[in-house]
Amino acid sequence: MALKRLGAGLWAVVDCLYLPMVIVFSGIFLGESIGVKGMLGAACVVIAIMAGSYSGISLNRERRDLVIGLCFGLAAVGFLVISIIMVKPLLEDTSVLWASFVRILAGVSGLLIIAGFHPERATVMAVFKPSAVWKTALPAAIVGNYLAMLAWLAGFKFTLVAVAAILNQLSTIFTFILAAIFLKEPVTLPRLIATLLAVCGAVLAASV
């Protein structure tokens, strides 16, 4: 809902709040500390995302959509951070496979309930009918959702929450790179700077 109202560029900037929120709350509730190098790495990644997203930002939106989009965006980031902080202690003694299963089951169940009451539920539920789109959508859903979630949770299980969050944020940078390779999108100066900054940030974070 935030992405729909803000657009990809503004959403990427709002999503930058994820990293500082994780660092703050993991320090408060989990007692984690990533030190000066970790903080520098986090700053590099946040600046990289903002620099890379700059050319994609469009403020040509109604004030109402902007405000509602920002509220949805802040809620999305906040809920995600809270869930990470809550699940970290459980991951210490829980299988990543089991944790992923429960997370996906909860998400799918919630979406099905929402879809059941949606005014356009016939259109929404139509996606479950096999079609030619499945050839692309199904593999993408498995790789981008299930396999990505396994790796995402494993990162939080085996390292500090803040360090995993710093590396997670590189997904935006990977998007810039892959879009240039496969979609032939132009490599702009802000995105080139973003990639270099993100690499520096990742190296600093990984050395914590």
Side-chain angles (χ1 to χ4, degrees), residues 7-36:
L10 267 178
W11 164 247
V13 174
V14 173
D15 193 41
C16 287
L17 292 173
Y18 163 80
L19 189 48
M21 287 175 70
V22 167
I23 293 173
V24 170
F25 286 113
S26 65
I28 294 173
F29 295 105
L30 302 176
E32 293 186 357
S33 175
I34 58 174
V36 176

Side-chain angles (χ1 to χ4, degrees), residues 17-34 76-92 103 152-153 156-157 159-165 168:
L17 292 173
Y18 163 80
L19 189 48
M21 287 175 70
V22 167
I23 293 173
V24 170
F25 286 113
S26 65
I28 294 173
F29 295 105
L30 302 176
E32 293 186 357
S33 175
I34 58 174
V77 174
F79 288 144
L80 182 58
V81 171
I82 291 169
S83 73
I84 291 167
I85 300 301
M86 290 175 67
V87 81
K88 171 62 175 177
L90 298 176
L91 285 174
E92 301 293 338
R103 187 179 179 91
W152 184 71
L153 288 173
F156 288 115
K157 179 180 177 70
T159 190
L160 296 176
V161 168
V163 172
N168 289 162

Side-chain angles (χ1 to χ4, degrees), residues 6-69:
L6 297 178
L10 267 178
W11 164 247
V13 174
V14 173
D15 193 41
C16 287
L17 292 173
Y18 163 80
L19 189 48
M21 287 175 70
V22 167
I23 293 173
V24 170
F25 286 113
S26 65
I28 294 173
F29 295 105
L30 302 176
E32 293 186 357
S33 175
I34 58 174
V36 176
K37 285 199 298 185
M39 295 296 287
L40 285 174
C44 284
V45 172
V46 170
I47 293 171
I49 295 170
M50 295 185 73
S53 303
Y54 178 76
S55 58
I57 293 178
S58 172
L59 295 178
N60 186 24
R61 301 177 187 283
E62 292 185 8
R63 181 181 178 82
R64 181 173 178 274
D65 282 341
L66 194 61
V67 172
I68 293 176

Side-chain angles (χ1 to χ4, degrees), residues 32-199:
E32 293 186 357
S33 175
I34 58 174
V36 176
K37 285 199 298 185
M39 295 296 287
L40 285 174
C44 284
V45 172
V46 170
I47 293 171
I49 295 170
M50 295 185 73
S53 303
Y54 178 76
S55 58
I57 293 178
S58 172
L59 295 178
N60 186 24
R61 301 177 187 283
E62 292 185 8
R63 181 181 178 82
R64 181 173 178 274
D65 282 341
L66 194 61
V67 172
I68 293 176
L70 288 172
C71 290
F72 277 134
L74 290 172
V77 174
F79 288 144
L80 182 58
V81 171
I82 291 169
S83 73
I84 291 167
I85 300 301
M86 290 175 67
V87 81
K88 171 62 175 177
L90 298 176
L91 285 174
E92 301 293 338
D93 303 307
T94 304
S95 164
V96 172
L97 287 170
W98 176 245
S100 299
F101 170 76
V102 172
R103 187 179 179 91
I104 291 175
L105 180 64
V108 171
S109 300
L111 286 173
L112 287 174
I113 292 172
I114 293 172
F117 291 97
H118 197 281
E120 298 178 11
R121 54 183 172 275
T123 303
V124 173
M125 301 303 285
V127 300
F128 292 103
K129 295 179 181 178
S131 67
V133 178
W134 278 32
K135 292 179 181 179
T136 302
L138 192 57
I142 293 172
V143 173
N145 186 27
Y146 185 66
L147 296 183
M149 186 174 295
L150 283 174
W152 184 71
L153 288 173
F156 288 115
K157 179 180 177 70
F158 296 113
T159 190
L160 296 176
V161 168
V163 172
I166 293 171
L167 299 177
N168 289 162
Q169 290 291 78
L170 295 179
S171 61
T172 302
I173 305 303
F174 290 149
T175 301
F176 300 155
I177 297 172
L178 294 175
I181 295 172
F182 295 104
L183 302 179
K184 309 303 179 185
E185 290 190 4
V187 180
T188 61
L189 181 60
R191 291 188 173 183
L192 184 58
I193 294 172
T195 302
L196 294 175
L197 273 174
V199 170

